[in-house]
Amino acid sequence: MTEKQFKKDEVIFREGEDGKSLYQITDGTIGIFVNYGASDEHKLTELKKGQFFGEMAVIEMYPRSATAVALDDAKAIEIGLGDISDYFSSNPDNIVNIMKHLSSRIRSLTSDYTEVSDTIAELHLGDQDKSKRSTSLVERIKKFAGVYSSNRKMSKLSSVESQKKISRIAHSEGFNKKVESYPKGTVIFKEGETGDCMYDIHFGRIGIYKDYGTPNEKLLTTLSANQFFGEMGMLENEQRSATAVVLDDNTTLETITADDLKELFDNNPPKLEMILAHISYRLRKLTNEYMGACKLIFDVCDAEASGSVSDDLKNKADSYSASFYD
């Protein structure tokens, strides 16, 4: 681990490079760009003191998905692949901090994804007169078409290695925290409740539902052994956005709180690595789905401009359904 100094406009790493280290900013501002230096360059975000960058490539062993540039004279601690364990050992609070950094990005992107999904629902392709679209809808259409146009070269979803890292061992192996079994039908948490823990499935299945127990009930996804869920509640103490229900008798879950992470790191480091990889992969997956929704709007704009909106495109827009969950 060393503190690096960067001059204004210095490139720290480039999109497409192998990720061999992550950084924590100690001074200055870092910009994260896609297509840096090209005509369609787009700045994704600005990061300041205390924030991390470059972590996803290291956690998932994945090529850099963006370029990092010093926006002014800046300093950052560089943490190489071989130094991460020592870094967490000497800075245990940063185990939670880096997870919270990733979760805040997920929360922000989820908001954007909800907006783009709502925009698709309002498109009403076909016979509608486009002049009747509200000003706000037109502006959102332009916004999301522009997002895709600027980011269409971003890395794809996942790699074989990142998936191996998430589930390379059975989650029940080694040191674990509180482990309990539940009968079919047990509600683990309800939509709208405030969460303070996450769960690791050792055996059985969990259903994630929207509007559970109502006429509008919808099964969002089914999770099985060696998968995590509920991490956003643990990290941000925010309301659950869905309901988690046990689908099989004797489903066995490990309950993990933020206070448990340091103990897990000390006694079962692979478990902590898998939690980090899970959160990072979830962010990458959400990014991929968000970009897919933006692409649909881009394709609609392109087709409408040429006066040739195909039946296939109409069907895609009409049948589009967002697929995220917390």
Side-chain angles (χ1 to χ4, degrees):
M1 292 177 289
T2 56
E3 185 173 64
K4 298 278 189 175
Q5 298 189 28
F6 305 102
K7 296 292 185 182
K8 181 180 179 181
D9 297 325
E10 182 177 348
V11 173
I12 300 168
F13 56 71
R14 292 189 180 275
E15 185 175 351
E17 293 179 348
D18 289 337
K20 297 180 180 179
S21 56
L22 62 92
Y23 300 82
Q24 185 177 25
I25 303 168
T26 55
D27 191 36
T29 306
I30 304 297
I32 307 298
F33 296 82
V34 291
N35 305 324
Y36 183 71
S39 59
D40 56 350
E41 173 186 303
H42 178 67
K43 181 167 67 177
L44 297 174
T45 190
E46 292 185 7
L47 303 172
K48 297 188 180 294
K49 183 176 179 179
Q51 293 184 286
F52 295 90
F53 65 97
E55 72 286 347
M56 288 176 68
V58 174
I59 292 169
E60 291 190 66
M61 298 179 288
Y62 198 84
R64 302 288 191 189
S65 60
T67 297
V69 181
L71 300 183
D72 48 30
D73 289 348
K75 298 177 182 178
I77 298 172
E78 181 180 27
I79 306 146
L81 278 169
D83 297 326
I84 292 176
S85 291
D86 289 342
Y87 177 70
F88 283 153
S89 293
S90 57
N91 302 273
D93 288 345
N94 281 328
I95 296 173
V96 176
N97 289 340
I98 197 168
M99 289 185 182
K100 285 186 174 180
H101 168 70
L102 289 168
S103 70
S104 68
R105 291 170 61 187
I106 291 172
R107 185 69 66 189
S108 176
L109 187 56
T110 297
S111 177
D112 290 340
Y113 187 28
T114 300
E115 186 181 6
V116 72
S117 299
D118 290 344
T119 300
I120 292 172
E122 294 176 45
L123 283 175
H124 301 304
L125 298 182
D127 298 330
Q128 177 182 292
D129 182 352
K130 293 195 295 294
S131 66
K132 294 181 180 179
R133 288 175 177 169
S134 67
T135 301
S136 63
L137 177 58
V138 171
E139 290 304 311
R140 279 184 283 140
I141 290 171
K142 290 179 180 177
K143 169 186 172 181
F144 293 118
V147 168
Y148 174 72
S149 180
S150 298
N151 294 273
R152 66 176 83 187
K153 296 178 184 177
M154 286 184 71
S155 298
K156 295 299 181 182
L157 174 60
S158 68
S159 65
V160 172
E161 287 300 318
S162 69
Q163 289 301 288
K164 285 181 180 177
K165 194 165 186 178
I166 293 174
S167 57
R168 66 187 180 192
I169 62 171
H171 290 200
S172 58
E173 291 182 14
F175 175 83
N176 292 302
K177 293 298 295 183
K178 183 180 178 182
V179 178
E180 290 186 80
S181 295
Y182 302 89
K184 181 179 179 179
T186 302
V187 174
I188 302 302
F189 56 71
K190 293 181 179 179
E191 183 176 348
E193 291 181 343
T194 299
D196 63 357
C197 61
M198 65 178 291
Y199 299 89
D200 183 4
I201 306 173
H202 289 194
F203 175 80
R205 295 181 304 145
I206 295 290
I208 305 295
Y209 292 86
K210 199 73 177 174
D211 299 319
Y212 183 71
T214 75
N216 297 320
E217 178 182 303
K218 180 181 180 182
L219 176 63
L220 300 179
T221 191
T222 299
L223 306 175
S224 54
N226 301 324
Q227 290 185 283
F228 300 100
F229 67 98
E231 68 277 2
M232 299 296 286
M234 178 189 76
L235 294 168
E236 299 194 1
N237 274 29
E238 293 198 358
Q239 290 184 337
R240 305 288 192 185
S241 65
T243 297
V245 183
V246 173
L247 300 181
D248 298 322
D249 281 331
N250 296 315
T251 289
T252 305
L253 305 178
E254 177 184 1
T255 303
I256 302 170
T257 68
D259 291 339
D260 296 329
L261 295 174
K262 176 60 168 62
E263 188 177 6
L264 278 175
F265 172 71
D266 289 339
N267 293 280
N268 192 355
K271 173 67 72 73
L272 187 72
E273 289 179 21
M274 287 187 290
I275 294 173
L276 279 166
H278 163 76
I279 298 172
S280 181
Y281 175 76
R282 179 173 173 182
L283 176 57
R284 193 181 297 281
K285 182 174 185 289
L286 180 60
T287 300
N288 189 69
E289 292 171 351
Y290 171 65
M291 290 304 300
C294 290
K295 181 182 185 302
L296 179 54
I297 290 181
F298 177 87
D299 290 343
V300 166
C301 289
D302 191 48
E304 289 185 338
S306 64
S308 59
V309 181
S310 67
D311 289 339
D312 181 57
L313 189 56
K314 291 177 187 177
N315 290 334
K316 283 183 179 178
D318 288 343
S319 62
Y320 177 81
S321 177
S323 57
F324 61 86
Y325 74 93
D326 280 354

